[in-house]
Amino acid sequence: MLGKNAKLFFCGSMGVLVAAIAMAAWGFPKIVQSQINKNLQLENSSTMFEKWRVVPVPLTFKIYVFNVTNTDEVNEGAKPALDEIGPFVYKEYREKRILGYGENDTIRYMLKKTFYFDEEASAPLTQDDEVTVINYSYMAALLTVNDLMPAAVGLVNTALGSFFTNLTDPFMRVKVRDLFFDGIFLNCIGENSALSLVCGKIKADKQPNMRPAEDGSGFYFSMFNYLNTTESGPYDMVRGIENIHELGHIVGFDGAPTMRYWGDPYCGQLNGSDGSIFPPLNQIVPDRVYIFEPEICRSMSVGLVGERNIFNISSYLYEIDESVLASKLANRNNKCFCKKNWSANHDGCLLMGLINLAPCRGAPAIASLPHFYLGSEELLEYFEEGVKPEKEKHESFVYLDATTGVVIKGLQRIQFNIELRNMKSVPQLEKVPTGVFPLLWIEEGAEIPAELRQELHQAHTLLGYVEALRWAILGLAILLSLASGWCASRATGVGLCARQHNSVSFIGNNFDLNKG
């Protein structure tokens, strides 16, 4: 009877051991990951949904301006000397308006950004500070005309004398509030036919930087007013319900599945998220993470650096690298971002570290990383002083929580430039040196706030307990199986212990025989 019970005990314990192994290897991780996925998916009942819809804390939006300190010398052909002024800090609030749900597990929404000047963080700088910068819209107008009708440049330049106030050179003296958001007035009232042509083209192109005056007398040029309180989109994003690894992926923008501006499938593809949400990384850790940027009409990527600990949270660090804005010689996939006829010194593509925004913005703008970080040395040689790329100050990066994919900290930096070109037919440009001239650069980013950081810590602690529990259960099952095996061997008189006794006796006998 005792032997029968021992055998039943042994069989039962082995069943428990098999179940414990299955739970430890598959069951517990599956259950935990399923719960994490449920909280991350973009549906009304999930923990993440409302935090995604209305970002609970404002992002920080910083602007650094390149103030030109030697305009007279540049007008005579000297290298530009620049003085970086900033940061001018704004709080950026983001809110999404849900339009509906589509096929293939997608959600459609509009994104609204609202900016408020942060006087405390900007001090001692104010929005009324005056700077001297490259006249962005003036150069854009002349470069556009020069590319289309070079013979008309002189005529158009004469008209632009009425369009701009005090047009004596390719620079403007302006308050930063007007340059950033309020707008610089550009006059369209006059009898000059070329002026009507310029204003008519601006109206037809609907350039985002140009806001029509309410009385129809002209336009207001600003760098970022079109972003402020104006909805962009619609975006079509994967919700992650059917496949959590597709969570946050943008599959449509402005009613199209690709960016039509580049005329190429590779450059036009929509990759990555809007930067607010990513899939969990604990099962699949990608070598690259993509973020779609509608302001430059393309996706930017950051490459995996490795595991890091930030705010006492295990994370993965991703950083931008030179392949993103590489020339076509360094990255042939970037050839579709080229700008034709940029310079007689090059093959129709921009230098390393630059991207042509003309197809996207409707004006000959050029983007780069701040201070031409990761760009060609040729870009730096153009300046006397004031341009010095540094990794810590000018790179873009993101820390993603290893378990949930939540953004712990991220900074995205980009610089806006325009070509200053020597044109003999234009008095203001007949002596200036030709080169890529920076106007300003921005830093947009955020880090997880203390209260959300605490929630993440608590979730990680709970996961630690669950992890310990599954191994504890497995350990107990192993001990139980060992104990039941011992009991079974004692009850039947055979098994491990008996076999060990016979073995010792046998070896002992052999020893005696050899000795004899």
Side-chain angles (χ1 to χ4, degrees), residues 74-142:
V74 175
N75 290 330
E76 294 298 320
K79 290 185 176 183
L82 307 179
D83 177 28
E84 181 182 278
I85 300 178
F88 298 90
V89 184
Y90 292 80
K91 292 180 179 179
E92 177 189 335
Y93 293 86
R94 291 190 176 190
E95 181 176 350
K96 299 176 180 72
R97 179 168 61 90
I98 308 302
L99 300 179
Y101 300 89
E103 298 178 353
N104 301 319
D105 190 27
T106 59
I107 183 171
R108 173 167 288 191
Y109 64 91
M110 300 292 291
L111 173 62
K112 183 175 75 172
K113 300 178 182 180
T114 307
F115 297 85
Y116 295 97
F117 185 64
D118 190 334
E119 295 183 2
E120 183 178 351
S122 302
L125 301 175
T126 73
Q127 292 189 98
D128 291 316
D129 289 349
E130 292 190 355
V131 292
T132 300
V133 295
I134 186 74
N135 194 328
Y136 199 80
S137 50
Y138 172 66
M139 287 308 308
L142 286 184

Side-chain angles (χ1 to χ4, degrees), residues 373-428:
Y373 173 63
L374 299 180
S376 170
E377 289 290 332
E378 185 176 333
L379 296 166
L380 307 180
E381 293 170 358
Y382 178 68
F383 302 96
E384 181 67 32
E385 62 182 16
V387 178
K388 183 180 178 182
E390 299 180 40
K391 175 180 170 65
E392 293 74 16
K393 294 180 180 179
H394 304 137
E395 69 170 343
S396 297
F397 63 86
V398 63
Y399 289 88
L400 299 179
D401 175 50
T403 303
T404 64
V406 168
V407 178
I408 300 175
K409 182 178 181 179
L411 289 178
Q412 181 172 287
R413 295 156 168 157
I414 193 165
Q415 179 173 297
F416 295 97
N417 317 275
I418 193 118
E419 184 186 357
L420 177 61
R421 184 183 297 182
N422 183 289
M423 298 183 187
K424 299 303 181 184
S425 60
V426 178
Q428 293 90 338

Side-chain angles (χ1 to χ4, degrees), residues 196-254:
S196 299
L197 181 64
V198 170
C199 292
K201 180 168 177 52
I202 292 174
K203 184 177 181 179
D205 290 347
K206 297 181 180 179
Q207 297 177 13
N209 299 98
M210 295 289 189
R211 184 178 81 253
E214 293 182 0
D215 59 4
S217 60
F219 297 90
Y220 286 92
F221 167 80
S222 64
M223 289 297 296
F224 306 113
N225 183 71
Y226 73 97
L227 296 176
N228 194 20
T229 71
T230 303
E231 290 185 325
S232 65
Y235 297 78
D236 293 297
M237 175 184 281
V238 178
R239 301 166 66 195
I241 296 175
E242 296 179 2
N243 183 356
I244 192 63
H245 300 298
E246 290 293 317
L247 172 67
H249 188 77
I250 301 292
V251 294
F253 177 73
D254 196 20

Side-chain angles (χ1 to χ4, degrees), residues 471-493:
W471 294 117
I473 292 175
L474 178 60
L476 289 175
I478 292 173
L479 290 175
L480 183 63
S481 64
L482 291 175
S484 65
W486 181 82
C487 290
S489 66
R490 293 284 293 178
T492 60

Side-chain angles (χ1 to χ4, degrees), residues 45-325:
S45 61
S46 74
T47 304
M48 179 60 69
F49 183 80
E50 194 60 25
K51 294 182 177 67
W52 169 80
R53 192 186 70 82
V54 180
V55 179
V57 293
L59 281 71
T60 301
F61 188 81
K62 297 180 180 180
I63 308 175
Y64 297 81
V65 181
F66 289 99
N67 184 63
V68 187
T69 61
N70 67 335
T71 56
D72 292 340
E73 290 79 3
V74 175
N75 290 330
E76 294 298 320
K79 290 185 176 183
L82 307 179
D83 177 28
E84 181 182 278
I85 300 178
F88 298 90
V89 184
Y90 292 80
K91 292 180 179 179
E92 177 189 335
Y93 293 86
R94 291 190 176 190
E95 181 176 350
K96 299 176 180 72
R97 179 168 61 90
I98 308 302
L99 300 179
Y101 300 89
E103 298 178 353
N104 301 319
D105 190 27
T106 59
I107 183 171
R108 173 167 288 191
Y109 64 91
M110 300 292 291
L111 173 62
K112 183 175 75 172
K113 300 178 182 180
T114 307
F115 297 85
Y116 295 97
F117 185 64
D118 190 334
E119 295 183 2
E120 183 178 351
S122 302
L125 301 175
T126 73
Q127 292 189 98
D128 291 316
D129 289 349
E130 292 190 355
V131 292
T132 300
V133 295
I134 186 74
N135 194 328
Y136 199 80
S137 50
Y138 172 66
M139 287 308 308
L142 286 184
L143 292 170
T144 300
V145 173
N146 189 69
D147 288 344
L148 297 175
M149 299 178 293
V153 169
L155 180 63
V156 171
N157 184 65
T158 302
L160 292 177
S162 302
F163 192 56
F164 294 95
T165 303
N166 192 27
L167 184 62
T168 59
D169 61 21
F171 304 101
M172 60 180 173
R173 292 77 183 167
V174 63
K175 290 183 178 180
V176 296
R177 69 164 65 247
D178 296 330
L179 176 62
F180 297 162
F181 290 100
D182 289 0
I184 303 162
F185 181 68
L186 305 175
N187 174 60
C188 283
I189 303 300
E191 301 298 327
N192 192 308
S193 59
L195 178 63
S196 299
L197 181 64
V198 170
C199 292
K201 180 168 177 52
I202 292 174
K203 184 177 181 179
D205 290 347
K206 297 181 180 179
Q207 297 177 13
N209 299 98
M210 295 289 189
R211 184 178 81 253
E214 293 182 0
D215 59 4
S217 60
F219 297 90
Y220 286 92
F221 167 80
S222 64
M223 289 297 296
F224 306 113
N225 183 71
Y226 73 97
L227 296 176
N228 194 20
T229 71
T230 303
E231 290 185 325
S232 65
Y235 297 78
D236 293 297
M237 175 184 281
V238 178
R239 301 166 66 195
I241 296 175
E242 296 179 2
N243 183 356
I244 192 63
H245 300 298
E246 290 293 317
L247 172 67
H249 188 77
I250 301 292
V251 294
F253 177 73
D254 196 20
T258 61
M259 300 297 289
R260 58 188 179 275
Y261 304 102
W262 306 107
D264 183 272
Y266 176 81
C267 289
Q269 63 185 320
L270 297 175
N271 279 337
S273 79
D274 63 358
S276 64
I277 189 169
F278 295 90
L281 306 179
N282 57 346
Q283 292 179 313
I284 300 176
V285 182
D287 292 331
R288 287 195 169 275
V289 168
Y290 291 84
I291 301 172
F292 171 61
E293 289 299 333
E295 283 77 24
I296 61 173
C297 303
R298 65 164 292 185
S299 295
M300 302 281 279
S301 68
V302 284
L304 178 64
V305 177
E307 293 187 58
R308 297 291 187 273
N309 192 289
I310 181 171
F311 305 133
N312 201 28
I313 299 173
S314 177
S315 66
Y316 288 99
L317 170 62
Y318 288 84
E319 293 179 350
I320 197 165
D321 56 55
E322 61 183 10
S323 67
V324 179
L325 297 180

Side-chain angles (χ1 to χ4, degrees), residues 447-507:
E447 62 182 45
I448 189 170
E451 57 271 22
L452 295 182
R453 203 181 304 161
Q454 184 62 29
E455 287 184 19
L456 204 56
H457 276 299
Q458 291 174 352
H460 281 214
T461 300
L462 182 59
L463 289 174
Y465 290 152
V466 172
E467 185 74 6
L469 178 62
R470 71 162 172 157
W471 294 117
I473 292 175
L474 178 60
L476 289 175
I478 292 173
L479 290 175
L480 183 63
S481 64
L482 291 175
S484 65
W486 181 82
C487 290
S489 66
R490 293 284 293 178
T492 60
V494 297
L496 179 63
C497 294
R499 284 194 299 271
Q500 288 178 336
H501 178 73
N502 291 339
S503 176
V504 171
S505 299
F506 179 70
I507 293 172

